[in-house]
Amino acid sequence: VQLQASGGGLVQTGSSLSLSCVVSGLTLEYYAIAWFRQVPGKEREGVSYISSTDDRTYYEESVKGRFTISRDNAKNTMYLQMNSLKPEDTAVYYCAAGDDAYYGTNWYDEELYNYWGQGTLVTVSS
C-alpha cells in the first residue's frame, strides 16, 4: 500500500492550496481517510476526516470553514482544499487511511490509521 501526497508549497497568508493523495494497493472507497499535520516539536494533529460509509466529515476547530476534505473513489485519490491560509497552518501534512469505514468522533486518533503518506510541507508566510 502506498499513499503519495503532493501539493504543498510556500504561499502567502490568505492564499489557497490543494493537497492530493494518490493511493495504490487498496480500494479507497472502503476506507475512512483523514489528513493530519505536524509542526516540528509538536504532536501530529488531525485536520480533517471523511468516512467511506456516508461521507460524513469532521474538521479540527481551527480549520472549519476554510478547509474541505474530499475523495474521488474512481481515481483512488483524496484531497484537502485549503483556503484562507494562515501562518499557523504551516506544517507537514499527511494523508492517512484506516482499515475501517467509519470512526466517528474518534477520527483524530492517529492510532486508528494503518496507512500513511510521506507528508507534504505547507508553509504560509505572513
Side-chain angles (χ1 to χ4, degrees):
V1 177
Q2 286 192 328
L3 284 71
Q4 184 69 42
S6 63
L10 171 62
V11 297
Q12 294 185 331
T13 297
S15 298
S16 298
L17 276 177
S18 181
L19 305 184
S20 300
C21 180
V22 179
V23 180
S24 59
L26 59 82
T27 303
L28 194 62
E29 67 177 301
Y30 301 123
Y31 293 79
I33 57 175
W35 288 92
F36 287 76
R37 66 185 179 187
Q38 188 170 26
V39 176
K42 293 189 176 181
E43 292 187 356
R44 189 155 52 185
E45 67 171 358
V47 175
S48 185
Y49 153 95
I50 185 168
S51 74
S52 73
T53 53
D54 57 2
D55 282 346
R56 179 170 295 193
T57 58
Y58 290 101
Y59 294 92
E60 192 270 330
E61 193 64 33
S62 70
V63 308
K64 284 182 180 178
R66 300 189 296 122
F67 290 12
T68 303
I69 189 172
S70 62
R71 63 199 300 157
D72 186 333
N73 292 330
K75 296 182 178 180
N76 233 39
T77 301
M78 54 191 287
Y79 304 95
L80 184 68
Q81 177 64 41
M82 305 185 295
N83 298 329
S84 302
L85 283 162
K86 304 176 181 180
E88 51 264 44
D89 295 319
T90 295
V92 177
Y93 284 72
Y94 298 90
C95 52
D99 279 330
D100 290 330
Y102 180 79
Y103 290 137
T105 55
N106 293 331
W107 67 272
Y108 52 84
D109 182 355
E110 60 179 282
E111 296 294 325
L112 298 175
Y113 300 88
N114 297 317
Y115 311 104
W116 291 84
Q118 84 288 3
T120 184
L121 176 62
V122 173
T123 304
V124 185
S125 63
S126 57

